[in-house]
Amino acid sequence: MTQQSSTPAPNSPVTVIGLGPMGLALAETLMKNGHPTTVWNRTPGKARNLVAGGARLAASVADAVAASPLTVVCLKDYATLYEVFGSAAGAAAAGRALVNLNSGTPKEAHAAASWAAARGVAYLDGAIMVPPPLVGEPGAAFLYSGPREVFAAHRDTLARLGDPRHLGSDPGLAVLHNAALLGLMYATMNGFLHAAALVGSAGVPAAEFAELAVNRFLPTVVDATLVAQAPDLDAGHYPGGLGTMEMNLNALEHIALTCEEQGVHAGQPLLMRDIAAQAIRDGHGASNYLAVFEVFKKEAAPGAR
C-alpha cells in the first residue's frame, strides 16, 4: 500500500466529495483557512456558492481526487463511497490520501480500508462529532483511525476542521466511537425527555425542570460520578457500600409505577428495570449500579433484537 509520510505544505490543496450540509461546512471551512479547494457532488448545483467563493468544481470524481493530495469524503455510507468512486476514480486516487467521514460500522470500515489498500490509497476512516455549524470551531471533535503516519502527514489540514483525535491504527475505531457516543447522546436525550414528560404530567414546565436537571443534578450526580468511577469499569470493581443493585432495582420499579400512575410512557424505565434485574440474576445484587456494565458487555440473547 502506498503511504504518505511527508507533511504537505501549509494550506495545501484539498478535495471535498459530497456536498450535503456537512460536506458544505467542511469545504467552506477549508476555503476560509486558505486551502485551494476542489469539490464534486452528484448534484453540481449544490456547489454554486462554493464556486462563487473560489472553489473549483471538478468535472468528475477522478478529476477531483487528482487535483489534491488529500480528499475528504462526506457521503451517506460506505456503499455510496464505492458507487461514487468506481474504477476510474479509484485508479486516480492511487498514491493520494483519502479521509472517509461517512457513518457505518467497524466491519464496513475494515472493508473500506482493504478497498483503499488494493488501490494504493492512503486511507483514514473518521467521524464528525459536531453538527455542521460547529465545524472549524474550537473544540469541535473529529475522530480518526487508521495508519498513524497518514494521520500525521495531514494532521495540520485536518485540524482546520476541528480538534483531530487519532484513536489508533485499527480503521474501525472511529466509527465504533461514533456509534458509542451517539448511543450515549440518544440515551441521555431520551432520559431527559422522559423525565420532562414525567414532571410535565403534573404541569411542571420543561424549561423549569431543565434548570434543575441539567444545571444542577446531572453535573454533580451523574457526570462527576462517571468520570471518577470509570476506572472501576475496567477493573470490574463495583463496591455496593453506598447503594446496591437491589436498592437500585427498587428505585427503578417505583419509577415505572409512577409513570403508570401519571399516564406517561413506561417502556424506558421498564427496560432499565429489566436490565437491573438481569444484573441481579447474574450475581451482582450486592454490587452498585455500575455492575450493569457486565450485562451490556454480553451479546443479546437470540431473538432479543
Side-chain angles (χ1 to χ4, degrees):
M1 173 179 176
T2 301
Q3 297 287 348
Q4 293 194 353
S5 57
S6 60
T7 302
N11 298 338
S12 62
V14 183
T15 289
V16 177
I17 292 178
L19 299 177
M22 185 61 76
L24 287 171
L26 297 172
E28 289 166 357
T29 300
L30 290 166
M31 292 170 62
K32 183 175 67 176
N33 283 279
H35 290 273
T37 304
T38 297
V39 297
W40 183 90
N41 192 72
R42 285 185 288 190
T43 305
K46 289 189 175 181
R48 186 178 298 109
N49 290 339
L50 294 174
V51 171
R56 171 180 172 265
L57 177 62
S60 66
V61 177
D63 176 29
V65 298
S68 310
L70 174 66
T71 293
V72 177
V73 179
C74 189
L75 298 169
K76 176 185 177 182
D77 51 27
Y78 292 90
T80 307
L81 169 71
Y82 304 138
E83 178 187 342
V84 163
F85 268 72
S87 57
R96 301 178 185 278
L98 187 153
V99 175
N100 185 22
L101 297 176
N102 60 236
S103 62
T105 71
K107 184 177 180 179
E108 290 177 312
H110 279 274
S114 297
W115 170 87
R119 290 158 178 77
V121 178
Y123 180 85
L124 289 176
D125 215 88
I128 307 170
M129 305 313 301
V130 293
L134 295 184
V135 170
E137 295 296 317
F142 278 67
L143 309 180
Y144 301 97
S145 56
R148 182 169 292 278
E149 62 270 24
V150 180
F151 174 76
H154 299 281
R155 188 188 189 287
D156 290 347
T157 300
L158 297 175
R160 304 289 198 181
L161 303 175
D163 181 21
R165 177 171 298 194
H166 185 256
L167 300 172
S169 61
D170 179 343
L173 284 173
V175 292
L176 179 63
H177 278 70
N178 181 60
L181 291 170
L182 289 180
L184 174 62
M185 178 193 75
Y186 285 117
T188 302
M189 290 292 291
N190 282 350
F192 170 76
L193 294 173
H194 183 270
L198 188 54
V199 297
S201 67
V204 178
E208 178 182 320
F209 178 68
E211 194 282 326
L212 172 62
V214 178
N215 295 340
R216 305 290 183 87
F217 181 74
L218 286 177
T220 56
V221 179
V222 178
D223 294 358
T225 297
L226 292 179
V227 172
Q229 295 185 327
D232 285 339
L233 300 181
D234 296 321
H237 180 58
Y238 313 110
L242 297 180
T244 66
M245 189 68 67
E246 296 278 5
M247 294 170 58
N248 281 283
L249 178 60
N250 186 55
L252 288 166
E253 288 175 339
H254 289 156
I255 294 170
L257 287 170
T258 300
C259 291
E260 292 169 355
E261 285 184 6
Q262 297 296 114
V264 172
H265 195 288
Q268 184 167 271
L270 286 171
L271 174 60
M272 294 189 291
R273 181 202 66 183
D274 291 345
I275 292 169
Q278 181 63 56
I280 292 171
R281 289 194 296 272
D282 290 347
H284 298 291
S287 302
N288 67 38
Y289 187 75
L290 295 185
V292 299
F293 185 53
E294 300 298 326
V295 176
F296 289 140
K297 285 160 60 176
K298 297 179 180 179
E299 185 176 2
R305 297 174 188 174

